[in-house]
Amino acid sequence: MATRSTRSPRPAPLPGTAQLRLVTGDPETERKILDALREHFTVTEPSHYDGGRAYLQLDTRPPYEPPPSG
């Protein structure tokens, strides 16, 4: 198993985005937190790992709106 010092560095998140690690005690708590985040941000579906950990990406940039036609 690779340790932190032997792993290759992860790329930095794009401007306006954040990579989050969520550690909860149960799925209901995770759902409530994700629902709250989704009210304000675009959030990817989390990748789940052992120990109640989930990793996701959050985008704080405004959504794309096509220019008005006319």
Side-chain angles (χ1 to χ4, degrees):
M1 182 164 107
T3 62
R4 282 185 188 247
S5 61
T6 61
R7 287 187 217 153
S8 55
R10 292 182 184 157
L14 296 172
T17 66
Q19 295 174 355
L20 305 176
R21 179 177 75 170
L22 180 61
V23 182
T24 63
D26 61 274
E28 182 62 17
T29 301
E30 178 182 321
R31 186 193 62 76
K32 288 178 181 180
I33 292 169
L34 290 173
D35 287 348
L37 288 172
R38 287 182 178 123
E39 287 183 27
H40 302 283
F41 306 104
T42 301
V43 179
T44 63
E45 280 302 310
S47 299
H48 293 92
Y49 296 89
D50 293 335
R53 294 177 298 141
Y55 292 85
L56 57 133
Q57 191 166 17
L58 182 140
D59 191 344
T60 63
R61 299 170 295 181
Y64 172 76
E65 293 185 22
S69 60

